[in-house]
Structure formats: structure tokens, C-alpha cells
Amino acid sequence: MGACSNPLSRNHLASPVAVTGMKTMGLKMAMVLISTVGGGLGNTQDVLMLICAAIIVYYMITTVPYYYDQVNAAWSGLWVGILYTTSMLVALSYSRHKYADDGP
């Protein structure tokens, strides 16, 4: 028969994307918490968000969770965009002249 009697095989955690998806979801939740609650952390908030984005990109590139290469490339590319944005945020937060009127 083609039907599997194991109830776990129809669960979301039975998919090959489950482990990377759970790690990614946990890191996304950490990024949201850091960005909303960690307002008083200053530059540490930006660095923590950069670390979360870098770990997600690492997971997406090394584990290759999806069957189709185009899907892996799309998800990895989107997360590289978020990593780029957070790295620019860290560079801006540690730069000496944050505003155009600060002068040299």
C-alpha cells in the first residue's frame, strides 16, 4: 500500500526541512525579541542581530534543506539580503560620523 500508517510521517516535523526550519524560526524569534525589547542595549543590539542573521545564512547554505536548488538559492539570497542590511546597521552604529552634519 502507498499509505503510511505512521502518524509522524504526516507531521510538519517529519519533513527534511524541519530541523533547519526550527533553527531558523528560533533565530528569527530571537531577532524580533532583540530588536523590540533590546532597545537599551545600544550597539550590542545591532551585533546580536548580525550574529543571528549570519547563523541563519550559514544554516541555509550548509544544510541545503529544500529539494529544488532554485528554492535554496531564493531563501539563501533573501537571508543574505537581511545579513547585508544588518551588517550595514552595525557599520553605521560604529561609524564616527552617523549624521551628515557631524563634519570631519
Side-chain angles (χ1 to χ4, degrees):
M1 287 234 163
C4 182
S5 61
N6 186 359
L8 292 177
S9 66
R10 292 184 294 270
N11 194 349
H12 292 292
L13 294 177
S15 71
V17 185
V19 175
T20 305
M22 295 301 283
K23 289 178 184 178
T24 303
M25 185 172 51
L27 287 166
K28 281 194 290 188
M29 288 189 315
M31 284 180 72
V32 169
L33 286 173
I34 289 168
S35 66
T36 55
V37 178
L41 295 175
N43 292 343
T44 308
Q45 176 187 15
D46 304 334
V47 172
L48 289 173
M49 289 176 56
L50 177 68
I51 290 170
C52 288
I55 292 171
I56 291 173
V57 168
Y58 174 77
Y59 283 147
M60 293 302 281
I61 291 174
T62 58
T63 59
V64 189
Y66 299 102
Y67 291 124
Y68 298 111
D69 291 335
Q70 292 85 4
V71 175
N72 287 321
W75 274 107
S76 299
L78 290 170
W79 278 107
V80 166
I82 293 172
L83 179 64
Y84 175 75
T85 305
T86 55
S87 63
M88 290 295 111
L89 177 65
V90 169
L92 181 64
S93 67
Y94 280 102
S95 68
R96 187 169 166 218
H97 306 293
K98 293 183 183 180
Y99 304 104
D101 58 349
D102 283 346

